[in-house]
Amino acid sequence: MREKASTFAGEPEPSGPNRRTVLVGAVGAGVAGTALAGVGVGLAAPTTAPPAPQETLPVTLTVNGVRRSAPVDPRASLLDTLRDQWGLTGPKKGCDQGACGACTMLLDGTRVLSCISLAVLHDGQEITTVEGLVAKGEMHPVQRAFAERDGFQCGFCTSGQVTSAVGLLKENPRPSRAEISELMSGNLCRCAAYSNIVDAVADAARGER
Amino acid sequence: MSEQGIGAALTRVEARDKVTGAARYTADVVLPGMAYAALVSSQVSAGRLRSLDVSAAKAAPGVLGVFSHLDRPTWHRVPAIPYFGETRMPFSDDRIHHAGQHIAIVVASTRQQAAHAAALVKAEYEAGKPVPTLEKALPSAYVAAQGNYVNFPQETVRGTPEEALAGSPVRVKAEYRTALISHAPIEPSVTTATWEGDELTLYDTSQAVVVHRGLVATAFGLPEDKVRLVCPLIGGAFGAKTHVWGHTLLVALAARRLGRPVQVVITRKQMFTTTGHQPPTVQRIEIGAERDGRLRVITHDSTNSTSFVAERPENTVLSSVATYAVPNLRTRVRLARMNFGTPTAMRTPGDGPGSFALECALDELAHELGADPVELRRRNHADVHPQSGKPWSGKNLLECYRIGAERFGWHRRDRRPGTRREGNDLIGYGMATARRVEHHRAAESTVDIRTDGGVVVRTATQDIGGGTLTTMIQVAADALGVAPDKVTITVGDTDLPPGAPTFGSITSGSNGSAVRLAAQDARGAAIRLAVGDKGSPLHGLAEDAVDVRDGRLFAKADPRRGETYAVLLTRNRVNPLRGNGKYSPAESQYETSTFGAHFTEVRIDRDLPRVRVVRHLAVIDCGIVLNTKTARNQAQGGIIGSIGVALMEELRQDPVSGRALAPALTDYHVPVNADIGQIDVHFVNKPDHNSNPLGAKGLGEICSIGVSAAVANAVFNATGRRIRDLPITPRRLL
């Protein structure tokens, strides 16, 4: 018979300082080459972690035309708040560092990186996500153009690309192809559907599709 | 190509979902009572944990559990390699093999609480002396014994290479280096684990749910049918999700211990340090040739880094073994261990870095001979496989050269480097060959025809962005004789018939063949049902006297005589009519590969020597193309990815500790929209039925092979500077 499935063998421990600190017999798995210097203590992890903050603050946002309020962890990004609290999973977490653009939302009509925007700092403001671009079941012209032009592959960056393109066309309704490329360069597409993305934004700008 | 079936430029079936945010990826799955995990990473790259104080983390608000090696995970067994990342199970001891190694997992009620508590875990290390870089590891490089990842010949000899070199009238010899590069998919790796008794369900960013299920089952000592993996859509991977990595097992373990679902979204930094990378390589190539350009001999020595917990050689030398007709050859692959995470497959393993070295070396030979680079390659075309002597299942490489040279305007290239200028720009042309072994894997699918005329394809493959959902529908529609819009597809769940992995360019050929066989099975069963049914207008006809079009079965001799699948099945109360397809690749008399030719134009400002690829043209021979719209997009993407490899991508390491200096997308530069010039792709588009029943071969990798060499060769043509180290940054050209 099969034995019980794997688990952690150690018994559950109560929280607090009186914990087992015995090192379990440290047998390297026959791995050569990691020569131990045997002296000195290496870099320690940071020991000055910030104190636990106040647990929540009330936040009210208008999201895709709907007023929503919730107690929000002051550490929570706009992105995590919309995804975790309100189930708006269109915007994606790609890097959580403001570098990839997958989390792009419109904040009072302007493109922002929601993964590096704290929700509590935007109390009272208006948010549009990719879900909010669909009106009465009809896709936004930018969404239609992305679909028809195959402006994506895996689709993970697409919510951000589409939202960013909508913001771009508000900033600059008649962009040249070079301007589109430049102004969409904050949104990484690792599948590199870039040519099709430019085609899609150009189509939407012309209102052809 | 039929108008709506195979080859048609259909819009992806999931297009609306992807552009409206409705498409559900792994991190979008929320389970009732789900807790959130954060992983704590080692700050040092070698040594052991002297102590790990988790008391503050455990006491932090919302924390449900903190686990580490101190909790002694009882792994059942180390799963099989390849496809499990490493030989060491996570948390199995206090040893540290690389910076970023998982040393603890913190689970809390919210993401913010988990991240905060992870920062409170206090580790003290007994730091070892790391082997920081490939450069420092080279003196201890060795040839690995077969086993695990070491699954191809590490040394190959053909003919008498040393004698052939000595007798060659023309010789070129050079050393090429490729950088440590990272997949950097936009979707990070995510695992959500939930248990019901002894049954485990994992929502996991997996390029192979079927293969990974077996590995997870092994780790936990469960029968395979007690593990379910779900992943219909992958948000990019490029190899990063080919293997099961430690976080997947740790989250499952934590979920079991806590008795509730647990999700981890690993951080971008952890993507760079714990889910593999393409290792840096040092490759020495020597070529001996006749004065007319015919190759006499190639020697190719390649060394790549690997970790201290896995031996993984890059099969760079296959480029030299299998691309050109050369009678004498010697190759050798060596490994050099460094204290960095474990390397893995990355688009394109082996042939990416290997073709860079070989195709640059050929360009050097062409220059030495004063020969045209395309002509040199034509002259050394391998009519049969140069190592096995077997015929190719299908090969149209000469056509790739011809079409490519013509469309690109290759004749305008000036052989004298550094002669073409426009304003302040130097202009250069370069080219290279692409060749990739076509891998085959067993795959299964079912195809159901329903009484309403609808069709459902079920197969446990996954869509990574290659258009698989759409192409599999096109394959089924074509074989059944129905319109594609009647067909839906369900993928990415081990409860479905076992489909193919979405790596190694396997999906189109292998999974496509399974879908085709299933659809043919269903079609045949429907025809048999009709001709044996007294109520059918087709009653009494021979099976091969019946054809199907637009969902209607009809007599070939009298197309007015017939009925639809829907009418036939409704009358016979068969719902659904199921066809089964099982593709089992057999030992073949053929060698099967995909081929291509890349042509590229670079422009380089003389004062600020930043290389711009203004124009790239690829001709690709991958059998029949299933969807020209998604295929063109995929090929353009593969080319652009490799332009990134050629010009900017490098995960730089600290020379003392070996740690990644800046594991973030802010510093690991990948191509952005404004970097892209004109990228043209042409497909030969001839079916290769000797390869598989469908005649389609993989595209995802072949499109990316040879691009970095074509760029480097163009840089030489533009400047006269031969850059043998990737990436070709302005610093290297100054």
Side-chain angles (χ1 to χ4, degrees), chain B residues 158-346:
Chain B
R158 184 190 304 162
T160 51
E162 309 307 332
E163 282 170 37
L165 268 178
S168 293
V170 187
R171 288 164 73 164
V172 295
K173 182 179 183 178
E175 183 176 285
Y176 303 90
R177 287 168 187 249
T178 61
L180 197 166
I181 55 174
S182 185
H183 314 79
I186 303 301
E187 178 193 47
S189 291
V190 180
T191 303
T192 303
T194 183
W195 293 80
E196 274 181 51
D198 252 3
E199 296 194 12
L200 169 63
T201 299
L202 286 173
Y203 300 87
D204 189 57
T205 47
S206 163
Q207 285 179 258
V209 292
V210 177
V211 175
H212 290 178
R213 169 176 61 174
L215 304 178
V216 172
T218 301
F220 283 88
L222 293 167
E224 271 200 31
D225 62 6
K226 298 283 189 194
V227 179
R228 180 178 168 217
L229 246 85
V230 182
C231 183
L233 293 178
I234 307 163
F238 316 102
K241 298 156 186 170
T242 292
H243 298 110
V244 173
W245 297 103
H247 66 270
T248 296
L249 301 181
L250 289 173
V251 169
L253 208 56
R256 183 174 182 83
R257 171 67 178 273
L258 294 170
R260 61 195 288 178
V262 177
Q263 181 189 79
V264 73
V265 177
I266 74 168
T267 64
R268 181 49 58 179
K269 188 171 177 178
Q270 288 163 348
M271 276 307 287
F272 281 103
T273 55
T274 67
T275 64
H277 57 274
Q278 185 175 96
T281 68
V282 178
Q283 302 177 59
R284 289 192 191 124
I285 290 199
E286 186 161 12
I287 299 181
E290 308 288 357
R291 294 214 180 275
D292 67 1
R294 272 180 301 135
L295 298 176
R296 288 170 56 91
V297 54
I298 302 177
T299 66
H300 190 162
D301 283 278
S302 176
T303 306
N304 68 268
S305 64
T306 194
S307 73
F308 282 99
V309 287
E311 293 182 299
R312 188 184 169 284
E314 276 289 315
N315 194 356
T316 52
V317 296
L318 188 60
S319 292
S320 292
V321 171
T323 307
Y324 297 105
V326 54
N328 302 286
L329 173 98
R330 183 178 55 68
T331 67
R332 186 175 61 168
V333 177
R334 295 185 306 161
L335 291 177
R337 291 192 190 260
M338 68 176 182
N339 288 98
F340 201 79
T342 296
T344 192
M346 177 175 163

Side-chain angles (χ1 to χ4, degrees), chain A residues 2-17 19-29 31-47 49-53 55 73 75-77 80-81 83-84 87 89-100 102 130-131 133-134 137-139 142-144 146-159 161-162 178 180-182 184-198, chain B residues 11-12 14-16 18-21 23-25 27-28 36 43-44 46-50 52-55 58-59 61 67-76 91 93-97 105 110-113 116 119-129 131 182-188 195 198 219-223 234-236 238 250 253-254 256-257 265 268 308-309 339 346 464-465 629-630 633-634 636-638 640 649 659 663-666 668 670-674 676-677 679:
Chain A
R2 287 182 178 272
E3 55 202 88
K4 203 167 151 53
S6 306
T7 182
F8 287 113
E11 285 305 301
E13 295 163 29
S15 298
R19 43 178 296 284
R20 179 167 54 85
T21 51
V22 181
L23 283 177
V24 176
V27 183
V31 174
T34 331
L36 295 178
V39 284
V41 177
L43 287 170
T47 52
E55 295 213 356
D73 188 318
R75 298 167 297 191
S77 65
D80 281 342
T81 302
R83 287 179 55 89
D84 294 342
T89 55
K92 302 301 185 206
K93 182 182 286 186
C95 65
D96 222 15
Q97 295 175 323
C100 76
V130 69
E131 291 97 333
L133 299 174
V134 179
E138 284 292 306
M139 286 192 280
V142 168
Q143 290 173 315
R144 273 206 308 279
F146 266 75
E148 283 169 26
R149 287 289 195 167
D150 210 31
F152 54 89
Q153 290 175 36
C154 79
F156 199 79
C157 71
T158 311
S159 301
Q161 301 274 2
V162 165
I180 294 170
S181 286
E182 194 64 37
M184 290 298 289
S185 281
N187 291 82
L188 302 181
C189 173
R190 188 61 162 151
C191 302
Y194 291 127
S195 310
N196 292 357
I197 289 170
V198 175
Chain B
T11 294
R12 286 170 212 255
E14 80 282 19
R16 185 185 166 108
K18 283 183 174 174
V19 302
T20 59
R24 307 272 290 172
Y25 296 82
D28 301 334
Y36 297 88
Q43 304 293 307
V44 303
R48 59 180 279 275
L49 280 165
R50 182 197 294 277
L52 193 68
D53 181 357
V54 298
S55 53
K58 282 192 170 177
F67 308 105
S68 69
H69 71 287
L70 299 171
D71 299 278
R72 294 180 297 141
T74 58
W75 302 116
H76 182 73
F91 294 179
D93 54 44
D94 62 359
R95 299 290 166 124
I96 303 295
H97 303 283
I105 182 168
T110 69
R111 282 179 216 286
Q112 291 76 29
Q113 290 167 339
H116 175 71
L120 300 176
V121 172
K122 202 166 106 189
E124 287 190 1
Y125 304 90
E126 196 170 288
K129 187 172 162 45
V131 181
S182 185
H183 314 79
I186 303 301
E187 178 193 47
W195 293 80
D198 252 3
F220 283 88
L222 293 167
I234 307 163
F238 316 102
L250 289 173
L253 208 56
R256 183 174 182 83
R257 171 67 178 273
V265 177
R268 181 49 58 179
F308 282 99
V309 287
N339 288 98
M346 177 175 163
I464 198 171
K629 191 188 247 187
T630 59
N633 191 350
Q634 185 180 24
Q636 288 178 331
I640 292 167
E649 296 191 27
R659 289 165 45 137
L665 288 170
T666 44
Y668 184 83
V670 302
V672 302
N673 204 317
I676 308 310
I679 314 277

Side-chain angles (χ1 to χ4, degrees), chain A residues 158-173:
Chain A
T158 311
S159 301
Q161 301 274 2
V162 165
T163 311
S164 189
V166 171
L168 180 164
L169 292 177
K170 278 189 185 153
E171 297 157 21
N172 182 350

Side-chain angles (χ1 to χ4, degrees), chain B residues 27-47:
Chain B
D28 301 334
V29 174
V30 178
L31 301 177
M34 187 170 89
Y36 297 88
L39 288 154
V40 182
S41 306
S42 169
Q43 304 293 307
V44 303
S45 39

Side-chain angles (χ1 to χ4, degrees), chain B residues 193-527:
Chain B
T194 183
W195 293 80
E196 274 181 51
D198 252 3
E199 296 194 12
L200 169 63
T201 299
L202 286 173
Y203 300 87
D204 189 57
T205 47
S206 163
Q207 285 179 258
V209 292
V210 177
V211 175
H212 290 178
R213 169 176 61 174
L215 304 178
V216 172
T218 301
F220 283 88
L222 293 167
E224 271 200 31
D225 62 6
K226 298 283 189 194
V227 179
R228 180 178 168 217
L229 246 85
V230 182
C231 183
L233 293 178
I234 307 163
F238 316 102
K241 298 156 186 170
T242 292
H243 298 110
V244 173
W245 297 103
H247 66 270
T248 296
L249 301 181
L250 289 173
V251 169
L253 208 56
R256 183 174 182 83
R257 171 67 178 273
L258 294 170
R260 61 195 288 178
V262 177
Q263 181 189 79
V264 73
V265 177
I266 74 168
T267 64
R268 181 49 58 179
K269 188 171 177 178
Q270 288 163 348
M271 276 307 287
F272 281 103
T273 55
T274 67
T275 64
H277 57 274
Q278 185 175 96
T281 68
V282 178
Q283 302 177 59
R284 289 192 191 124
I285 290 199
E286 186 161 12
I287 299 181
E290 308 288 357
R291 294 214 180 275
D292 67 1
R294 272 180 301 135
L295 298 176
R296 288 170 56 91
V297 54
I298 302 177
T299 66
H300 190 162
D301 283 278
S302 176
T303 306
N304 68 268
S305 64
T306 194
S307 73
F308 282 99
V309 287
E311 293 182 299
R312 188 184 169 284
E314 276 289 315
N315 194 356
T316 52
V317 296
L318 188 60
S319 292
S320 292
V321 171
T323 307
Y324 297 105
V326 54
N328 302 286
L329 173 98
R330 183 178 55 68
T331 67
R332 186 175 61 168
V333 177
R334 295 185 306 161
L335 291 177
R337 291 192 190 260
M338 68 176 182
N339 288 98
F340 201 79
T342 296
T344 192
M346 177 175 163
R347 190 193 207 178
T348 292
D351 290 327
S355 67
F356 169 68
L358 177 66
E359 295 294 321
C360 285
L362 248 78
D363 203 66
E364 301 205 36
L365 177 65
H367 182 69
E368 188 71 29
L369 291 166
D372 177 77
V374 177
E375 187 49 36
L376 178 67
R377 285 164 174 83
R378 275 198 197 105
R379 200 163 299 171
N380 291 288
H381 182 262
D383 298 333
V384 296
H385 191 280
Q387 188 68 20
S388 71
K390 286 185 182 181
W392 301 102
S393 62
K395 180 175 184 180
N396 301 287
L397 180 57
L398 293 172
E399 205 171 332
C400 294
Y401 294 142
R402 184 183 60 76
I403 297 169
E406 200 176 290
R407 293 191 168 214
F408 184 79
W410 181 251
H411 65 276
R412 290 198 298 271
R413 173 178 181 270
D414 193 319
R415 284 180 199 185
R416 297 160 304 161
T419 45
R420 278 190 67 186
R421 292 182 182 184
E422 199 177 292
N424 213 36
D425 278 349
L426 300 169
I427 301 173
Y429 285 8
M431 63 83 55
T433 303
R435 176 217 45 83
R436 176 80 177 154
V437 172
E438 170 77 359
H439 296 286
H440 309 268
R441 273 191 170 245
E444 295 180 37
S445 176
T446 59
V447 169
D448 290 354
I449 313 175
R450 297 189 318 234
T451 48
D452 63 2
V455 173
V456 183
V457 179
R458 301 168 78 247
T459 182
T461 187
Q462 38 288 306
D463 195 309
I464 198 171
T468 303
L469 299 177
T470 313
T471 57
M472 293 300 115
I473 282 176
Q474 289 175 272
V475 168
D478 180 76
L480 283 171
V482 303
D485 62 7
K486 297 283 185 218
V487 186
T488 57
I489 186 165
T490 309
V491 301
D493 188 332
T494 51
D495 283 352
L496 298 166
T502 308
F503 56 63
S505 299
I506 290 168
T507 321
S508 292
S510 296
N511 218 95
S513 290
V515 171
R516 180 177 169 84
L517 293 170
Q520 285 176 333
D521 189 42
R523 181 182 187 273
I527 291 173

